[in-house]
Amino acid sequence: MPDLLANLDPIVDGWIAYDDRAVDAVFSSEPQRRRALIAAAYEAGADWVLAMDPDERMENAVASRIGQLTGGSRRIAWGFHCREMYTAASYRVDGPWGRKMQHRLFRAYHPDQFRSMDLHGAWFPEDLGFKLRDSGLNLYHLKMIEPKRRAARRDLYNHLDPDRRLQQIGYDYLADESGAVLEAIPAGRDYFPAHVDDGGLWMADVSADRRG
């Protein structure tokens, strides 16, 4: 969290976090978490919401563009190119990896309007009428840097969605490195602070279930 907050400090006016470390389940309810955060932002009087996970970083240029992004129509949800980092300075771009987009910047709305599927849902329902736009900016996802976390992520989602009901492509691709093509972060598009990996898994270990 400290590194995420340092990353967001030049971008946002304040932050709200959801602490689910005391949950006994393998994975806390994603819709419950998101609805609670939307509600807290709305009650705090937020005009816009920038939704982030602890293992994500915005590129530095977002700080100089945030006023422009939030200064126009409030009916726009801004998307960011989701860069799945394979090293601290490079991300994967082959196949589906190069097409990932996350719409994370949107106006605050009443939590009673929130609806989402159990996993991989949007942070806002379609009937709010947000127009999806590409900001041209990068969102860096750090979890995939460590190979053991790629495998653990595959195992976790296979455990949560064994029939691929919520994602047609499934989850085995998350740990499949065949044909991997990496691209270095372009000059001037870095994120701050620099990533220092702690070697942790950052998620529940369900590998025993997979072996069984």
Side-chain angles (χ1 to χ4, degrees):
M1 282 296 294
D3 283 356
L4 173 62
L5 296 180
N7 177 255
L8 294 178
D9 185 60
I11 301 173
V12 301
D13 295 320
W15 57 270
I16 298 167
Y18 186 100
D19 186 352
D20 63 353
R21 288 175 294 178
V23 173
D24 292 331
V26 168
F27 194 78
S28 64
S29 168
E30 184 171 282
Q32 179 179 322
R33 278 185 275 119
R34 292 185 176 185
R35 189 187 188 286
L37 288 165
I38 292 295
Y42 183 84
E43 292 166 5
D47 291 319
W48 288 79
V49 172
L50 177 61
M52 298 284 289
D53 286 335
D55 58 0
E56 296 173 338
R57 305 289 182 267
M58 284 291 180
E59 72 165 282
N60 296 336
V62 176
S64 61
R65 290 277 310 280
I66 192 68
Q68 176 188 349
L69 296 176
T70 59
S73 171
R74 297 183 69 199
R75 286 293 176 182
I76 291 178
W78 288 106
F80 300 85
H81 295 273
C82 183
R83 305 304 191 182
E84 299 277 10
M85 306 302 292
Y86 261 50
T87 74
S90 61
Y91 47 82
R92 190 168 176 177
V93 295
D94 57 288
W97 302 94
R99 300 191 296 268
K100 295 190 176 189
M101 176 78 69
Q102 291 283 336
H103 291 86
R104 298 292 192 83
L105 180 62
F106 50 91
R107 70 172 177 85
Y109 62 91
H110 196 282
D112 286 351
Q113 297 175 286
F114 177 78
R115 290 177 304 283
S116 179
M117 59 186 186
D118 291 342
L119 291 171
H120 321 306
W123 276 86
F124 47 85
E126 290 184 6
D127 59 12
L128 282 183
F130 291 157
K131 296 178 180 179
L132 306 183
R133 294 289 185 267
D134 180 359
S135 69
L137 298 162
N138 287 336
L139 169 67
Y140 298 112
H141 185 211
L142 308 181
K143 185 171 286 181
M144 299 289 281
I145 290 175
E146 181 64 38
K148 68 181 179 182
R149 287 198 291 268
R150 298 171 204 160
R153 194 177 177 208
R154 172 202 62 200
D155 295 345
L156 177 61
Y157 282 118
N158 275 324
H159 173 86
L160 296 170
D161 184 22
D163 300 322
R164 301 191 305 179
R165 182 175 57 88
L166 301 174
Q167 182 165 283
Q168 186 175 5
I169 192 176
Y171 306 99
D172 287 348
Y173 84 100
L174 293 171
D176 182 358
E177 299 185 28
S178 57
V181 177
L182 303 186
E183 180 177 290
I185 295 176
R189 306 202 64 176
D190 295 330
Y191 60 91
F192 172 86
H195 177 62
V196 178
D197 207 294
D198 63 7
L201 198 58
W202 302 3
M203 71 197 92
D205 184 1
V206 297
S207 57
D209 293 341
R210 183 177 175 85
R211 289 192 299 268

